[in-house]
Amino acid sequence: MMEVNRDVPALEIPFIREMAEITYHMWKFGWDERNGGNISRILEEAEVSPYIDLNGTGRVISLSFPVPELAGKMFVVTGSGKYFRNVIADPGMNLGVIRVTADGEHVDVLWGFSGNTFPTSELASHFMSHIERLKVDPAHRIVMHTHATNVIAMTFVHELDEKKFTKTLWQMCTECIVVFPEGVGVLPWMVPGSAEIGRKTADKMKDGRVVIWPHHGIFGTGSTMDETFGLIETVEKAAQVFMLTAGHSIKQTISDQELSDLAKAFGVIPASGILEA
Ligand code: 13P
Ligand code: ZN
């Protein structure tokens, strides 16, 4: 058994450093104003045990949405009401490491969430999305929610039909269909922070890695922080190009045939029912 080294400063724990760096980047992008956005990442015991006592702090938080599927799983999660900008200055106050109890009804706090902080109010969407993504991708680890500016803007001026929304995004930048060939899911507007929006989000995650919450933001999932952030960055870039060109007279675009050729060239299968070529 490796000894727990509690003297390691938080920012030298690799997965804490990673969370601190990505949240700071996201704030700098202007996506995570105030406490906007939240991230959860599945942790392996071998990553945690050198730094954190797996016996926990004694603090237990109950869940209003039982997740027995995640029993025993550990996560690093952003705190509710906490600002992404501040994570790097005080990780222990703005993040926590939690483990789902055997019955799936609570989480044990293993580290962080100091000052009686709680995990994100979107924990239901995170946990339920983890459950669905793990079913289709055993390498899945990360759920990231952010208030990506142009994605939000686009949900005011574009139809919310997810096939049409996906096609427009694909047409905005050549790389899009290669990065998210499965397209994006789009929910109707809903009150955030509930088990209901969690279930609806997770339902969309059965077939894809991106779900858009109109007039609110985006959820992205993936196996690494780079991949997940890169996915959201690509959707946001396409939404930005859409917003820059909306209202201008469009002289040309990427045709359905060209999108099909792209998909073929990069060996990806685009979601069906979107392209006419
Ligand atoms: P939290 O501060 O509880 O994570 O909420 C932020 C948010 O983006 C809600 O959708
Ligand atoms: Zn939000």
Side-chain angles (χ1 to χ4, degrees):
M1 251 308 247
M2 200 170 200
E3 220 171 285
V4 179
N5 188 351
R6 292 198 199 88
D7 296 332
V8 173
L11 287 174
E12 285 176 28
I13 302 175
F15 56 85
I16 300 288
R17 168 124 225 133
E18 181 187 53
M19 289 286 276
E21 285 177 353
I22 200 73
T23 47
Y24 196 76
H25 276 301
M26 291 168 77
W27 169 72
K28 278 205 131 182
F29 264 36
W31 295 351
D32 298 285
E33 76 291 342
R34 203 175 182 275
N35 65 308
N38 25 77
I39 304 177
S40 62
R41 178 198 192 276
I42 297 174
L43 297 170
E44 307 304 323
E45 194 173 311
E47 294 176 280
V48 182
S49 59
Y51 308 106
I52 292 171
D53 187 349
L54 297 181
N55 291 317
T57 59
R59 186 173 171 209
V60 182
I61 298 171
S62 39
L63 301 172
S64 53
F65 47 90
V67 284
E69 300 90 335
L70 299 177
K73 286 218 179 298
M74 285 182 271
F75 299 83
V76 58
V77 185
T78 52
S80 185
K82 297 297 170 188
Y83 295 21
F84 273 20
R85 180 168 61 83
N86 294 339
V87 176
I88 204 143
D90 192 347
M93 186 70 94
N94 293 285
L95 303 176
V97 174
I98 53 178
R99 183 180 51 214
V100 178
T101 53
D103 59 7
E105 309 244 359
H106 307 84
V107 292
D108 290 318
V109 177
L110 306 183
W111 178 90
F113 291 139
S114 22
N116 209 30
T117 314
F118 283 83
T120 172
S121 58
E122 304 295 1
L123 198 60
S125 288
H126 283 252
F127 274 178
M128 291 177 193
S129 295
H130 281 298
I131 292 169
E132 292 309 326
R133 291 309 303 163
L134 281 169
K135 285 183 195 163
V136 290
D137 177 13
H140 160 84
R141 294 288 177 275
I142 291 159
V143 175
M144 186 181 276
H145 165 60
T146 181
H147 298 172
T149 315
N150 290 284
V151 169
I152 299 175
M154 188 168 162
T155 62
F156 287 87
V157 295
H158 195 283
E159 280 177 81
L160 295 179
D161 175 275
E162 56 193 15
K163 283 190 166 34
K164 290 182 184 166
F165 206 94
T166 294
K167 185 165 173 182
T168 301
L169 291 172
W170 284 351
Q171 287 172 324
M172 292 301 114
C173 311
T174 297
E175 293 284 288
C176 283
I177 198 169
V178 180
V179 177
F180 51 97
E182 78 272 42
V184 299
V186 182
L187 286 187
W189 186 90
M190 293 178 74
V191 174
S194 64
E196 176 63 6
I197 200 169
R199 271 187 288 273
K200 291 269 176 5
T201 303
D203 202 44
K204 299 269 180 213
M205 290 291 183
K206 289 176 180 163
D207 306 311
R209 296 163 295 154
V210 178
V211 178
I212 290 169
W213 288 3
H215 324 321
H216 182 146
I218 182 168
F219 267 78
T221 65
S223 56
T224 65
M225 206 59 87
D226 266 357
E227 187 194 301
T228 312
F229 181 71
L231 176 63
I232 292 180
E233 220 179 0
T234 308
V235 175
E236 167 64 7
K237 178 64 170 278
Q240 183 178 17
V241 175
F242 176 79
M243 293 310 298
L244 286 169
T245 53
H248 294 264
S249 72
I250 303 294
K251 300 284 193 293
Q252 53 276 316
T253 182
I254 311 173
S255 69
D256 284 23
Q257 185 59 56
E258 287 166 336
L259 287 168
S260 283
D261 292 346
L262 254 170
K264 238 179 251 129
F266 284 87
V268 297
I269 301 170
S272 62
I274 298 181
L275 299 180
E276 274 157 32

